[in-house]
Structures are given as C-alpha cells and as structure tokens.
Amino acid sequence: MKGICLVEPGKFAAVELPEPNAPGPGEALLKTHCMGVCGTDIGGFLGKFPFFTYPKIIGHELGVEVLAVGEGVQHIRVGDACSIEPYMNCGKCFACRHGQSNCCQSNQTLGVMTDGGLCERFVLRADKVHPSRSLGYDALALVETLAIGCHAVDRGECRGGDDVLVIGAGPIGLAVIEFVRLTGARIIVMDQVASRLKFCRETYGIDDTILVDNDQDALAEIEQRTRGDRCRVVIDATGNYHSMGQAIHYVAQTGTLVYVGISNQSISFPHGTFHKPEMTLRASRNALPADFPRIIRLIESGIINTTPWITHRSSFDEMIQNFPTYTKPESGVIKAIIELK
C-alpha cells in the first residue's frame, strides 16, 4: 500500500506500508480520496511547527470513503463520503471530562503526532468520521480547516457590529473570515501578500484590507478605519511570532486577542499595553466535535462555498515534487489538494 512520509524537515519519501487490519469494534476502514495541504503540514516540512515529530505520514485534512465498519458503528455505512475529525483524545483527562476534547492532555493529532491519511487506506475510530450525503471529497477535505476558524471565532466571541481584525489571509485566516461573516461583524483583513487581500476583496467583498509594509503604518490604518477605537476582536492566524506580538496593539480597550496560528518562538509585548485596557488574551486550539457536522451542513446548504479556495492540485505521484511550491505565498497558493486515485 502506497504512502508518503515526511522523513525529516524538507524531505518527503514515497513508502510502502502494510495493509491495515480489519476494523474492530467502534472503528472504520477508510479510503483516502484527497488531502488538503495545511499550514501545519507546511510548518512540519519547514521544521517550524512545535508539535510535529518525525518521521510521519502526514495528512489530517481528509476526504475519505468508508470501506468497512466494525461492530457497533451505526452513524456511517460502507460507501459514505466523510470528513475526518483528526484529534485523537483520551476521554479521561480534565479537558475531555469537561467537554473540551480539543485540548486533551494526551491529544494525538493525525499527521502531526501520529500517522495521518496520506496513504491509500487506514483504520480510525468511527466517532471521528463525519458523513455527508451530498458533498464531494474536495469539500470534505476542507471541513477541518473551517473547523479551526469556527472555533477561533467562538473563542473571540465575535458579535454583530464589532470591528474584527483578521491578521493573515491564508487558509486558516479565510476560515476565520467565513465564521466572522456569519456573526454580522465588520471584517478588516491584514496581510503582507497583496494577492491574498485581492482574493478577500473579490471572493468575500471585503473592502477593508490592509497590506502590511511596516507596523506603524498598519496601526495608523487600523486607527483610521475604526475612528480611533481599534478592534474589539483581533484574531491572528499567521503563526508568525512578530505578527503575534504586534497584534496586541490593534486591540480596543477591553477587547480580545485570539491566537489561532502557532509559533515555536517566544512572543513578547509590553505588559502595560496588555494590562491598561484590561485586554483578554486567548489561544484557540483545534476544534470541537460538534463543529464538524455544523460545517458540513453549512457547505451542503451553500452558506459556505469552498470552491474558490482550491487553487492548486497535485496527484499523489507528483506531490513530493510539487510540495515545496505550496510553502511560497508568491506562488498564489490558497489551498492545495493532493488527490489519491
């Protein structure tokens, strides 16, 4: 069985894997049809993601087909097209006992801490498999990205009428935008890549975009566009430690800053800048189980359209050659899909 392994930073290898066992009770045997390339995959490739271990079969944004189910599995059936909730939680730790399985103390995310789905077939806990009766595998592979954005917006408690700044217009930033949009808040988008801001204007009709050249000019733009108030919610989706440190300056008095991007470097800011306005600082990690069926319904109903996101495609055999281009914003990549056929 074919698979692709990230052996070490900067090095993929095609590998032969053993066939998976038949699914046991509460499990499902799945066929991978496509994988979305995530910022986590890119961070692992570049050696910049703090939770990554090597070697690893990557792949956690997945569109899969159910090939077989084990005893007791009733919510999916053979032939179903599904999305994957890739966070393997223990169900016993403090976070799991309090309904926050996204923060499980011993979480094992597919393709990051444990092998993922960039292979032909694999067995998974069936409770992590979310079916759709109408969506294609491309859309299902993007559900997990959207779930990250959904959870970040919930963490920010965005409301209609708020000024919400989204920093970083890559896939996670776009996922954040989708859910801020549903709250009725006013969206401002900031990025260093002009093509990404153009995508936001053309796809979402967001006129308030800021191309970052330097920090002082960016702050002046924020103050001008918010009449000096700055933003009640700022969500940083860059994973860049400098951006994450600077983001605190864009937050309104009593406002909230959410870090959804992840950096392996230290983030620093003057304590007074945080303390004086009685700011709230929150992390946003992974997503919750209920986010997945919600997002599937939103895509099925047409409220969320994932089609414009997919700018690049690669076959399984071309993936190793093409992957380095997906790390470069100048390539115009928004979301790349790896097809296993």
Side-chain angles (χ1 to χ4, degrees):
M1 182 180 72
K2 296 189 299 183
I4 292 179
C5 179
L6 182 55
V7 179
E8 60 188 36
K11 183 179 179 181
F12 282 109
V15 294
E16 283 293 323
L17 301 171
E19 284 289 340
N21 295 326
E27 294 181 335
L29 175 63
L30 307 171
K31 172 182 172 60
T32 302
H33 280 260
C34 60
M35 181 200 94
V37 175
C38 174
T40 301
D41 303 321
I42 291 171
F45 180 76
L46 297 175
K48 294 182 177 180
F49 192 78
F51 304 138
F52 217 95
T53 58
Y54 307 87
K56 191 68 68 231
I57 304 295
I58 67 166
H60 63 274
E61 295 183 3
L62 302 169
V64 303
E65 176 187 353
V66 178
L67 297 180
V69 297
E71 181 183 350
V73 177
Q74 298 183 344
H75 73 289
I76 54 174
R77 59 195 180 201
V78 173
D80 278 351
C82 302
S83 180
I84 295 302
E85 176 193 336
Y87 325 120
M88 300 298 109
N89 65 299
C90 71
K92 300 176 182 179
C93 70
F94 180 90
C96 289
R97 296 197 312 270
H98 288 81
Q100 304 294 322
S101 58
N102 60 308
C103 292
C104 173
Q105 186 173 356
S106 56
N107 171 68
Q108 297 286 295
T109 298
L110 294 183
V112 181
M113 299 117 169
T114 188
D115 283 338
L118 191 53
C119 58
E120 293 181 272
R121 292 170 292 280
F122 64 103
V123 170
L124 191 68
R125 283 169 45 183
D127 64 307
K128 300 295 184 178
V129 182
H130 298 276
S132 170
R133 305 305 180 204
S134 61
L135 296 184
Y137 295 112
D138 282 0
L140 289 165
L142 298 187
V143 170
E144 194 271 344
T145 297
L146 286 160
I148 298 293
C150 175
H151 186 62
V153 173
D154 287 346
R155 293 286 288 159
E157 299 180 350
C158 302
R159 304 179 301 226
D162 286 343
D163 285 329
V164 177
L165 172 63
V166 180
I167 307 175
I172 297 301
L174 295 179
V176 169
I177 288 168
E178 287 282 8
F179 289 92
V180 176
R181 184 173 61 90
L182 297 181
T183 71
R186 175 195 175 201
I187 304 171
I188 305 171
V189 183
M190 180 183 291
D191 203 294
Q192 293 182 319
V193 181
S195 61
R196 289 182 170 180
L197 297 177
K198 181 181 178 183
F199 182 89
C200 292
R201 291 191 296 270
E202 294 179 349
T203 304
Y204 296 106
I206 298 172
D207 295 325
D208 284 307
T209 62
I210 299 173
L211 182 65
V212 179
D213 183 35
N214 64 73
D215 295 338
Q216 290 302 314
D217 287 350
L219 178 57
E221 285 275 359
I222 291 295
E223 292 186 332
Q224 178 184 351
R225 295 177 193 224
T226 61
R227 304 158 302 281
D229 289 341
R230 307 188 187 186
C231 297
R232 198 192 76 79
V233 181
V234 175
I235 302 177
D236 191 296
T238 65
N240 177 281
Y241 77 99
H242 177 81
S243 174
M244 295 166 79
Q246 179 64 20
I248 200 166
H249 298 286
Y250 307 136
V251 183
Q253 290 173 295
T254 71
T256 298
L257 171 59
V258 179
Y259 289 147
V260 60
I262 302 174
S263 174
N264 60 3
Q265 295 178 277
S266 298
I267 300 166
S268 62
F269 44 77
H271 175 250
T273 304
F274 170 73
H275 190 89
K276 184 177 179 181
E278 200 177 62
M279 195 182 301
T280 299
L281 176 61
R282 291 182 170 176
S284 179
R285 185 182 182 195
N286 298 334
L288 294 171
D291 296 330
F292 287 79
R294 177 194 176 197
I295 291 163
I296 288 171
R297 290 193 300 271
L298 288 169
I299 303 173
E300 287 174 338
S301 65
I303 294 172
I304 290 178
N305 177 18
T306 60
T307 302
W309 287 34
I310 301 172
T311 55
H312 293 64
R313 291 182 181 274
S314 176
S315 70
F316 182 88
D317 293 335
E318 298 169 332
M319 182 269 188
I320 294 176
Q321 175 184 341
N322 293 343
F323 193 93
T325 65
Y326 305 150
T327 69
K328 301 173 182 177
E330 60 269 24
S331 70
V333 64
I334 298 293
K335 176 61 72 173
I337 293 288
I338 311 301
E339 299 175 332
L340 286 78
K341 293 182 177 178

